[in-house]
């Protein structure tokens, strides 16, 4: 997966993947379930030069630059240590999460057997891995996920697993008609309008003459 990487300062690395078994990726930085990698390199004030892995092959392009990212070398991160902390959580933290939440209850074993998609983002001072479950399945109605984050400052790295999150997004009330719908039922026309509608055919005949 990483054969397209160029060894020079980058702004960010964005990795995405899908799990067919529900099990979290064992190595989010180099796993067979990876479907997308996007690496942003410095180019100019408005755009980045990107190498990205999509559809099974590497491509190149220019992306709009957002914010003021700080360039860094991937070797600045001790990814082996980050991976060690992450794997500890996959083995010891995720399987033991339990508790009730707004839409139900998480039972032990849920968070290490229901992962559908995930992504990892690496920047100059943060690594963030987000694991999403099958529960919402990209419906747009809710999100269910858990995060693993690491921060780097002055050569020191601190990592932490977050608490599981379940969010719902309210939609329009069921049965609400679209605003553009116009209902003509029981519409009453004024007498003046009725007279005008009656005169239109006569005026047209008078102007164009009767049809043969």
């Amino acid at each position: 997966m990483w054969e397209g990487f160029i060894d020079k300062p980058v702004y960010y690395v964005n990795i995405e993947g899908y799990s067919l078994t529900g099990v979290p990726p064992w190595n989010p930085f180099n796993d067979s379930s990876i479907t997308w990698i996007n690496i942003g390199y410095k180019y100019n004030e408005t755009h980045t030069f990107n190498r990205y892995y999509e559809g099974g092959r590497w491509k190149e392009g220019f992306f709009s630059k957002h914010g003021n990212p700080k360039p860094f070398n991937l070797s600045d991160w001790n990814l082996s240590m980050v991976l060690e902390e992450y794997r500890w959580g996959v083995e010891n933290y995720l399987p033991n999460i339990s508790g009730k939440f707004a839409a139900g209850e998480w039972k032990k074993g849920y968070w290490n057997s229901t992962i559908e998609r995930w992504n990892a983002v690496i920047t100059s001072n943060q690594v963030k891995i987000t694991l999403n479950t099958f529960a919402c399945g990209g419906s747009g109605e809710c999100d269910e996920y858990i995060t693993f984050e690491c921060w780097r400052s002055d050569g020191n790295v601190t990592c932490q697993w977050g608490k599981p999150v379940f969010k719902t997004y309210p939609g329009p009330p069921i049965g609400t008609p679209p605003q553009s719908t116009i209902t003509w039922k029981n519409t009453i026309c004024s007498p003046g309008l009725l007279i005008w509608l009656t005169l239109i055919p006569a005026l047209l005949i008078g102007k164009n003459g009767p049809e043969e």
Side-chain angles (χ1 to χ4, degrees):
M1 286 290 186
W2 284 92
E3 63 185 11
F5 180 74
I6 303 173
D7 189 14
K8 68 177 187 177
V10 301
Y11 282 136
Y12 56 82
V13 178
N14 192 341
I15 310 168
E16 297 179 8
Y18 287 82
S19 174
L20 299 178
T21 62
V23 177
W26 188 240
N27 184 352
F29 309 124
N30 191 14
D31 193 272
S32 60
S33 62
I34 292 175
T35 56
W36 164 265
I37 300 176
N38 184 18
I39 308 170
Y41 299 93
K42 182 178 180 179
Y43 181 66
N44 60 24
E45 294 301 317
T46 60
H47 287 78
T48 59
F49 168 71
N50 291 66
R51 297 208 75 190
Y52 55 100
Y53 180 86
E54 180 184 48
R57 63 191 185 92
W58 284 93
K59 305 175 184 179
E60 295 181 352
F62 297 92
F63 288 37
S64 296
K65 183 179 176 183
H66 298 286
N68 188 28
K70 181 181 178 181
F72 67 100
N73 292 307
L74 199 60
S75 58
D76 293 342
W77 277 97
N78 185 349
L79 291 181
S80 296
M81 188 275 287
V82 171
L83 190 59
E84 183 178 342
E85 293 285 333
Y86 166 81
R87 286 176 172 174
W88 178 92
V90 170
E91 289 186 319
N92 300 282
Y93 176 58
L94 296 184
N96 294 302
I97 294 175
S98 63
K100 295 183 179 181
F101 65 106
E105 181 180 1
W106 291 310
K107 296 184 178 181
K108 288 186 177 182
Y110 179 82
W111 281 96
N112 66 324
S113 62
T114 59
I115 302 305
E116 177 191 33
R117 56 190 174 87
W118 55 271
N119 82 295
V121 179
I122 307 172
T123 62
S124 62
N125 63 349
Q126 184 186 36
V127 173
K128 184 176 182 179
I129 300 171
T130 304
L131 307 176
N132 296 79
T133 70
F134 288 104
C136 299
S139 64
E141 299 177 355
C142 62
D143 275 328
E144 186 178 55
Y145 62 88
I146 195 166
T147 58
F148 169 78
E149 296 182 72
C150 294
W151 300 269
R152 186 173 66 89
S153 177
D154 299 326
N156 297 319
V157 177
T158 304
C159 296
Q160 181 178 354
W161 277 92
K163 294 181 179 180
V165 175
F166 184 87
K167 288 182 178 180
T168 57
Y169 302 99
I174 297 176
T176 302
Q179 294 298 315
S180 60
T181 300
I182 300 175
T183 303
W184 293 98
K185 186 178 181 180
N186 298 327
T187 298
I188 300 176
C189 297
S190 66
L193 179 59
L194 287 173
I195 293 172
W196 174 244
L197 292 174
T198 304
L199 288 174
I200 287 176
L203 291 172
L204 290 175
I205 292 173
K207 181 178 179 181
N208 301 320
E211 294 183 359
E212 297 294 338

